[in-house]
Amino acid sequence: MTQLCVPIFVHDPAQTRGDARRAQEAGADLIELRIDPIAEQARGDASVLDALVALVRESPLPCIVTCRPAWEGGQDDGEDAERIALLEHLGTRCAGHGPAYFDVELAAYQRSANLRQKVHLVADHPGQDPPRRREPGLILSSHDFEGRPPDLLRRVGDMADAEGCRVVKVAWHARSLRDNLEAFELLAARHKPTIALCMGAFGLPSRVLAKKFGALLTFAALGDADATAPGQPTVEQLKTLYRWDHIGPDTKVYGVIGDPVGHSMSPAIHNAGFTATGYDGVYLPMRIPPEYEHFKATVDAWLNDPRLEFRGASVTIPHKQHLLRFVREQGGEVEPLAERIGAANTLHRRDDGTLYAGNTDYAALLDAVCDALNEPRPSGSGPAPSSSPSQGSAPSRPRLVDREALAGKRVAVLGAGGAARAAVAGFTHYGAHVTVHNRTPDHARALAEAFDANHAPLDAVDLDQTDILINCTPVGMHPNVDASPLDFGHRALDIENPPLVFDTIYNPHETRLLCDAKAAGCRTIPGVEMFVRQAAAQYALWTGHDAPIDVFRQVVIDRMTG
Ligand code: NAP
């Protein structure tokens, strides 16, 4: 079983003991004591050395002891022999209560036969005669903080062949998401227990999926500031966000593809959904640089990896058009309306291996509106309610919504960008009469003409002649929360059927536009509904089951308010 190891830089005994306890409480299986920050002191001061011995002997969890030299990314400037002498000393003094592993760099191990002999004296290894099995075991390690070393495979082979090596550890800086696939390949081909990790922002999959591929361990930091390598997640992220405890060999992999994706809420939503329903999946951020070549190369490699089980992705800016092109080129199926919109946000790899590209944005918009239209209007006076289910009025699961209710409805769409295009395509497809209102008239005209709609200036919305108003501009979005794309004039509308107002903005939850619309007597739908429903439609496509949409909604609301 792949273990979760928390690395701890040893600066002083109290801090180290505290960190070790926190690691244990957080659910780590192992700690790595990085003694390199204190190695120089320990060599010159017997009391520091005694303290180190006590830390190892009293460690609440099994530990790896590592004294990483500066030339391999660590903090110790001592000679190889001095570092090994330190490990030797700890091994001897801690006998019976010693570390589970010593980590020694491959380069140092290969440099001198004398040093190898010393390492073998303190670390157990399978090649001994007579064989003995005692701790500490030897981890041979190799790191490259620049990129994939050209001789990566030779290094791994050398470590695996070294008679003293019990565990092979290789880590390199990933230049793209594709690097992770090689880490998985190394794990699949291992002859000895292996740790194969990619560092940096592109390397997260190798850290989360280490368990799927049977690595000896993965590293996770106690907090954001405690990482010992670039791209290391925290224990909290690994366990709570990325479902560490549920990952196994058959776990299916999903992700959000975009650039940037660092602040996407989608991993939190979908992983919470998988946990709520017990679905064996994990969902990762997947940053792919903007050019189509990167998109194609990465998605193709991930889909074709024989072991990964990459089954689908949410696709966001700047790759929504790339997804259409890719699936077309691969001979897959493209949802006709996604084709008309010119953008897809969902990739699905079906069980038979065929690909599908769809657009759940327009479907989310239409279904949220249809649900609200189908709800009976509350009687009585006072401000109209919001159709946000967080306020108790909407269904807890998506259901088949009758879109025929849209035929003949008069829809005003504010904006002429990507969200507006999805709205205009969807509403006109179901027979609504759409008018595009936009700041730049040419953009409004082009969008309207593409879908046989009308267009008008942004300030020419006639609320008396509108059944549904949808804001697809960013006006009113955090931090400009006092702005609104439409002036309701601080009054209740003196009309029989005030329009249903939908703001696609989801931060803040209730925008100025929605507040004004409510005060004017309109029913409203907050943008969180679009966000949650487009994710729910993806979830249903991928898993074949309804999404736990209440869980999705709560995750979004918690993230915005927390
Ligand atoms: P986009 O392609 O950049 O289009 C933005 C549109 O808003 C353009 O038509 C632009 O007008 C107009 N606009 C921008 N700033 C304006 C201003 N200060 N005053 C008036 N009009 C302005 O963006 P998008 O992808 O369509 O996204 C638009 C909004 O939709 C986002 O801000 C987001 O809040 C929301 N959205 C929500 C979800 C969800 O799941 N809830 C999903 C997607 C989008 P010009 O043509 O004149 O430039």
Side-chain angles (χ1 to χ4, degrees):
M1 177 65 93
T2 304
Q3 300 177 82
L4 200 165
C5 180
V6 169
I8 297 170
F9 278 126
V10 177
H11 296 288
D12 70 67
Q15 156 264 324
T16 306
R17 282 199 176 84
D19 286 353
R21 245 193 335 272
R22 284 167 60 210
Q24 186 183 34
E25 285 161 11
D29 306 299
L30 202 66
I31 55 173
E32 180 188 35
L33 294 178
R34 283 283 303 266
I35 65 170
D36 37 305
I38 208 172
E40 191 56 44
Q41 277 184 59
R43 282 192 283 268
D45 183 337
S47 68
V48 175
L49 195 53
D50 291 346
L52 270 184
V53 170
L55 284 176
V56 174
R57 289 181 69 96
E58 293 157 20
S59 172
L61 291 169
C63 68
I64 301 170
V65 173
T66 303
C67 185
R68 189 75 72 223
W71 50 261
E72 184 99 352
Q75 299 182 29
D76 185 34
D77 290 318
E79 298 291 326
D80 288 351
E82 291 177 306
R83 283 183 300 105
I84 301 304
L86 199 51
L87 298 184
E88 197 180 353
H89 189 91
L90 286 176
T92 312
R93 296 238 344 243
C94 297
H97 304 276
Y101 299 98
F102 279 138
D103 179 318
V104 174
E105 303 71 33
L106 173 70
Y109 183 82
Q110 287 181 323
R111 247 192 303 264
S112 140
N114 182 35
L115 198 121
R116 277 198 294 283
Q117 210 172 18
K118 286 201 154 115
V119 170
H120 292 168
L121 282 175
V122 284
D124 170 41
H125 62 93
Q128 269 167 339
D129 185 23
R132 58 189 180 136
R133 209 64 195 158
R134 66 167 173 77
E135 292 182 331
L138 175 64
I139 299 175
L140 277 185
S141 65
S142 176
H143 305 77
D144 193 320
F145 291 86
E146 298 298 317
R148 179 198 181 279
D151 61 346
L152 176 71
L153 298 183
R154 184 193 60 74
R155 292 189 196 189
V156 170
D158 284 356
M159 289 189 272
D161 290 345
E163 60 167 356
C165 173
R166 194 183 306 171
V167 177
V168 172
K169 178 188 174 194
V170 64
W172 72 95
H173 184 86
R175 295 294 181 90
S176 86
L177 287 174
R178 275 173 287 159
D179 276 326
N180 294 280
L181 302 180
E182 193 168 14
F184 303 148
E185 225 175 284
L186 293 174
L187 290 171
R190 69 188 181 274
H191 298 298
K192 288 182 175 176
T194 298
I195 304 161
L197 294 171
C198 292
M199 295 184 278
F202 288 115
L204 183 72
S206 71
R207 298 180 178 279
V208 175
L209 298 176
K211 199 170 170 201
K212 177 176 167 75
F213 293 97
L216 177 77
L217 58 82
T218 200
F219 293 98
L222 275 178
D224 284 329
D226 301 315
T228 52
Q232 215 169 63
T234 64
V235 182
E236 163 77 11
Q237 287 166 340
L238 204 58
K239 285 206 156 238
T240 309
L241 180 55
Y242 297 120
R243 314 192 66 238
W244 176 257
D245 293 330
H246 303 281
I247 291 176
D250 299 326
T251 299
K252 296 181 183 66
V253 178
Y254 302 86
V256 52
I257 295 173
D259 187 13
V261 286
H263 293 95
S264 170
M265 278 193 270
S266 296
I269 291 174
H270 282 288
N271 283 322
F274 293 154
T275 299
T277 59
Y279 182 78
D280 190 7
V282 66
Y283 185 104
L284 303 167
M286 297 175 61
R287 183 163 82 81
I288 299 181
E291 297 77 18
Y292 179 64
E293 290 64 36
H294 288 291
F295 179 88
K296 182 179 175 170
T298 305
V299 176
D300 199 35
W302 273 52
L303 285 169
N304 287 310
D305 186 281
R307 305 172 201 91
L308 185 59
E309 294 226 56
F310 176 49
R311 293 303 192 93
S314 315
V315 176
T316 184
I317 292 166
H319 292 302
K320 288 185 172 190
Q321 285 83 15
H322 294 161
L323 174 60
L324 284 182
R325 178 175 164 189
F326 177 75
V327 170
R328 255 189 251 123
E329 284 176 4
Q330 301 288 317
E333 181 189 342
V334 174
E335 184 190 15
L337 208 42
E339 192 79 79
R340 281 206 74 201
I341 293 167
N345 72 337
T346 308
L347 169 67
H348 176 43
R349 183 172 160 239
R350 301 173 173 128
D351 287 344
D352 65 3
T354 57
L355 300 182
Y356 170 86
N359 189 316
T360 64
D361 279 339
Y362 84 84
L365 271 170
L366 298 189
D367 291 348
V369 166
C370 290
D371 262 351
L373 290 178
N374 292 335
E375 273 170 38
R377 268 191 77 79
S379 55
S381 57
S386 160
S387 284
S388 165
S390 64
Q391 297 176 27
S393 58
S396 61
R397 288 172 40 194
R399 55 185 155 80
L400 278 180
V401 184
D402 182 5
R403 292 181 184 158
E404 282 178 13
L406 298 175
K409 289 280 184 291
R410 298 160 300 177
V411 181
V413 173
L414 312 186
R421 195 172 171 85
V424 175
F427 282 103
T428 54
H429 183 80
Y430 285 93
H433 302 301
V434 176
T435 304
V436 181
H437 298 266
N438 193 50
R439 179 179 62 178
T440 308
D442 284 352
H443 297 169
R445 185 181 309 114
L447 176 57
E449 284 175 3
F451 293 96
D452 215 4
N454 300 311
H455 60 92
L458 190 55
D459 59 4
V461 178
D462 183 353
L463 291 171
D464 199 13
Q465 297 298 317
T466 302
D467 300 309
I468 302 158
L469 177 96
I470 303 180
N471 176 37
C472 295
T473 77
V475 181
M477 189 161 72
H478 180 83
N480 302 314
V481 295
D482 290 330
S484 172
L486 195 75
D487 184 7
F488 274 87
H490 305 290
R491 61 183 167 81
L493 294 173
D494 189 18
I495 49 181
E496 198 176 326
N497 284 312
L500 175 67
V501 178
F502 191 163
D503 199 336
T504 63
I505 292 171
Y506 57 82
N507 186 9
H509 182 68
E510 192 153 69
T511 57
R512 165 86 189 279
L513 173 71
L514 294 186
C515 290
D516 289 353
K518 227 189 237 184
C522 303
R523 283 186 297 161
T524 58
I525 308 175
V528 69
E529 278 311 293
M530 178 176 173
F531 191 70
V532 158
R533 285 170 190 255
Q534 61 81 25
Q538 294 177 329
Y539 184 98
L541 187 69
W542 295 332
T543 66
H545 300 287
D546 285 343
I549 199 164
D550 287 340
V551 173
F552 283 16
R553 197 173 281 122
Q554 200 54 51
V555 170
V556 177
I557 291 169
D558 287 351
R559 291 231 153 190
M560 285 185 323
T561 53

